[in-house]
Amino acid sequence: EFKNSTGKNNLVFFFVNTTAIQEKELTLSLFEEVREFLSKSKNSKCVITTLLPKIEFFPTEATSLSERELTFFLEKECERTPEIDYYLEIEKKCRKSVRDDNLDITMMRLDNVFAPDRFHTPTFDLENLIQECAKNNEITITDEDAQCVSTITYVRNACHAAFKLAFKGLKGHIYNVASSTVSRADIKQAM
């Protein structure tokens, strides 16, 4: 709770799961509290980590998109879903807070995050893939598996990146974070 604290040199980590659309109003309300706190606190910073929703279509000729290119793509080229709109609303509020209120906010985007027992992998259903292979007691790798390529981030690397951005991230910048790029074929080969 930030209401009675007006200290200085504070660091706030704010996590947003844009696939949890049912939490949108609560998250936006909490974001407003964070903004108010930052505006009253000297030398304070906020690192916002967003878990991206599934993005259905990606330009086939592109190998990567920069921060502004991804935003443009989501706004203009991608099929708009409530989850994508939720992400874009958070990003817009962050940009406005930096531009209009001069708040020190840095954003970090994650698309597929996994840990030993938790998966946020909207690009491919990793948990179902593992269960299916275990149930059938066989692994079949198809051409389609090799073509489904995504970035993934191990939760330990995501935490490390959030802390690094707290000290090295530039105000108003958005960072795309990933541990590696893999395909379903890579995952099946590792299994």
Side-chain angles (χ1 to χ4, degrees), residues 35-75:
R35 284 184 67 247
E36 186 177 322
F37 172 75
L38 291 174
S39 68
K40 293 177 182 176
S41 303
K42 295 183 193 265
N43 300 321
S44 295
K45 181 178 183 110
C46 179
V47 176
I48 298 181
T49 300
T50 54
L51 298 177
L52 291 173
K54 183 175 184 178
I55 300 170
E56 289 292 337
F57 166 78
F58 195 81
T60 55
E61 64 279 355
T63 57
S64 63
L65 295 175
S66 71
E67 80 170 69
R68 288 289 195 178
E69 289 171 329
L70 180 60
T71 302
F72 177 82
F73 169 73
L74 292 175
E75 289 175 341

Side-chain angles (χ1 to χ4, degrees), residues 68-179:
R68 288 289 195 178
E69 289 171 329
L70 180 60
T71 302
F72 177 82
F73 169 73
L74 292 175
E75 289 175 341
K76 306 291 184 203
E77 302 293 328
C78 190
E79 178 185 334
R80 296 292 284 268
T81 64
E83 293 84 3
I84 288 175
D85 286 340
Y86 181 17
Y87 169 75
L88 290 171
E89 185 173 353
I90 291 287
E91 183 178 306
K92 183 177 179 181
K93 286 182 178 294
C94 289
R95 289 187 190 283
K96 184 179 182 328
S97 298
V98 171
R99 181 188 66 233
D100 296 349
D101 303 324
N102 199 30
L103 301 180
D104 192 350
I105 296 175
T106 301
M107 278 187 76
M108 175 171 99
R109 295 177 180 144
L110 301 167
D111 55 356
N112 295 293
V113 181
F114 66 97
D117 64 340
R118 293 282 181 252
F119 304 101
H120 170 84
T121 54
T123 304
F124 52 89
D125 190 349
L126 183 60
E127 188 172 16
N128 187 45
L129 176 66
I130 293 168
Q131 289 175 352
E132 181 182 308
C133 291
K135 184 176 105 178
N136 296 337
N137 205 21
E138 71 176 42
I139 299 172
T140 304
I141 300 174
T142 65
D143 288 341
E144 185 180 305
D145 290 333
Q147 294 170 357
C148 180
V149 178
S150 300
T151 57
I152 59 170
T153 306
Y154 191 65
V155 70
R156 183 181 300 139
N157 294 3
C159 293
H160 181 272
F163 283 108
K164 185 171 184 176
L165 290 178
F167 298 100
K168 303 267 186 185
L170 300 175
K171 176 169 99 175
H173 284 233
I174 300 175
Y175 297 88
N176 300 312
V177 177
S179 300

